[in-house]
Amino acid sequence: MEATPICQAWLRPDGGKGIRNKVLVLYTVECSKHVAESIAAHFQAQHRDVDVTGSLACLDNQAVVQRMLAYCVHPNVGAVLIVGHGCEYIEPDRIRDFARAHGRPAEAFYLQKVGGTEAGIALGCRLVGEMLEKIEAGPRAPMYAHELIIGAKCGGSDFTSGIAGNAVIGKFFENLTAAGGTAMMEEVAEAVGLRGHLVSRAVNEDVARDVGLTYDKTMEFCRRLGRYSISPGNFVGGLTTIEEKSMGAVVKMGGCKIEGVLKIAQRPKHPGFWLLDVIPDDKPEPAFFFGGDATGLLDQIACGCHLVLFNTGRGHVGGTPVAPILKLTGNQETFDMLSHDIDFCAGSVLTGAETKAEAAERLWGLIRRICNGEQVHAERVGHRSVLGKSALGRAAVQIGNKQIERLAGPVAPGRRILDVEPLLLLARTGLAQLAASAHRLGRMGIDVVEHACIAADSQYGGQGQQSGRLGEPGQRFRTRGRHELVDPERGQYEQE
């Protein structure tokens, strides 16, 4: 990779450089989602660069707050509008102030205070119009390869994914990190059986320990939930087991060493290859599985990725807000069928028409053009999927009795009481009402005490105090109050 500038980037007041210049509209609860989407749609119809995402739940969730704050200061975002409803825990004014502190023009309002839906849409359109005028006149600066942060994910994997698409990504990541750039991947749940391999890639003993702990936590989570990241489509595509799929997934690393393990919405501390841990340590979220491919893409974007490489053997049509999603495949038939959705084909590696190095260089040429403004297909067709952790609150899943039983912890003979972790799992799948339904759970021999569901669904500082197991005799819960922003860099909250 050459040392000359790859593009003229958008220079942010905090020193970041973006390859896009977006106004981001955020909703803080599902009640304000319609207004936020209507505001964004008004400008998207004019082919203006306005994206929308947000949070559905009206209760506290530290991980969602971290993601939303990270999106506000993403290098591709030039300005932010936050639309609230008025009852939710996430406060638009606090997010606005965080964005402003990092040099972003930002505004916020509650629908309850501006006259409702129509007035909110009108106000939002006026504010976003003013923001666009301001940021479109913003400064530009040369951007170099060593300043890029690029993520990678696979979805709809087939037999070609590990030997073509992911292999080309791995070679590209070797080149990018050698040039001083930054790369990352998540999908630890798709590294089943490869603990030793991952640990051996760590740059030092401390990182090796972190990688091992992350792997162990992820595998325990998969076991507790009773499912792994493999689907019928993978079987149709020629993959037979999660272990086989995993061997192809980790090929995205190439020969890179792991510099460290990132947490949700954490930026890499220095260049190199990083592993992303997307399962919170304190309160695991099953939306990690149930939110769709957008979950892993959005979490890498929250860590600052300018764009994400998305390898799909079976095919994929999606995209996300905030950053371009460059979709590639190693399956020529898939590319021929979906050439208006998939941006790059690495099938030539299978036929011998290209080496991995040659395909990686061709991929680099496409990335350079995208950095210079060429749209990926998802941008061109307006595909901006937000079903994922950024919209955590209701994952469209069903959990049957057997799965509930698997999540329940044993207590007195003949009865079970949901402990903290299993109840949190239920709450995060959007089945909090099911968890609170004492008569249904009672028929299964599971006791849930008063307010237990509230305590479980209030996921960060608003979570109720607890000790031991929910349902102990005389145990009660209280929800905490509002929260103070104590770490602007990480966007963390603390209870008052």
Side-chain angles (χ1 to χ4, degrees), residues 290-373:
F290 302 141
D293 289 316
T295 59
L297 298 171
L298 286 165
D299 271 343
Q300 292 184 76
I301 292 168
C303 290
C305 287
H306 292 94
L307 62 90
V308 182
L309 306 175
F310 186 16
N311 180 41
T312 172
R314 298 273 295 156
H316 208 289
V317 300
T320 67
V322 183
I325 304 301
L326 192 167
K327 296 191 292 294
L328 65 151
T329 183
N331 190 319
Q332 185 66 52
E333 292 183 359
T334 297
F335 183 76
D336 292 342
M337 177 62 68
L338 297 173
S339 60
H340 295 289
D341 288 289
I342 298 176
D343 304 283
F344 182 91
C345 183
S348 53
V349 173
L350 293 181
T351 65
E354 277 185 312
T355 64
K356 288 189 296 184
E358 291 169 338
E361 187 62 30
R362 182 163 56 89
L363 178 62
W364 172 233
L366 176 57
I367 291 171
R368 287 193 54 167
R369 297 199 302 273
I370 292 168
C371 291
N372 278 279

Side-chain angles (χ1 to χ4, degrees), residues 80-131:
V80 186
L81 172 66
I82 308 97
V83 182
H85 183 257
C87 304
E88 64 275 18
Y89 270 88
I90 298 177
E91 300 175 46
D93 292 350
R94 307 284 289 283
I95 298 176
R96 176 202 62 199
D97 294 346
F98 180 84
R100 287 178 176 176
H102 287 76
R104 302 303 198 275
E107 300 291 343
F109 61 82
Y110 284 111
L111 294 175
Q112 291 177 349
K113 295 183 178 181
V114 300
T117 301
E118 294 175 325
I121 293 172
L123 174 60
C125 287
R126 177 176 65 80
L127 293 172
V128 170
E130 294 170 355
M131 291 176 181

Side-chain angles (χ1 to χ4, degrees), residues 423-480:
L423 188 54
L424 287 172
L425 290 172
L426 286 174
R428 280 160 179 75
T429 62
L431 297 179
Q433 290 181 332
L434 175 60
S437 178
H439 69 278
R440 178 170 179 179
L441 290 175
R443 291 198 303 267
M444 296 173 55
I446 301 174
D447 295 329
V448 181
V449 299
E450 182 182 4
H451 305 314
C453 186
I454 295 175
D457 242 351
S458 299
Q459 297 164 13
Y460 69 103
Q463 180 183 338
Q465 299 275 19
Q466 77 270 346
S467 62
R469 304 175 71 81
L470 296 181
E472 289 178 348
Q475 189 173 352
R476 288 294 180 264
F477 296 84
R478 64 179 180 84
T479 56
R480 299 174 185 166

Side-chain angles (χ1 to χ4, degrees), residues 279-297:
I279 303 179
D281 293 319
D282 53 348
K283 307 174 186 68
E285 300 174 346
F288 164 72
F289 282 110
F290 302 141
D293 289 316
T295 59
L297 298 171

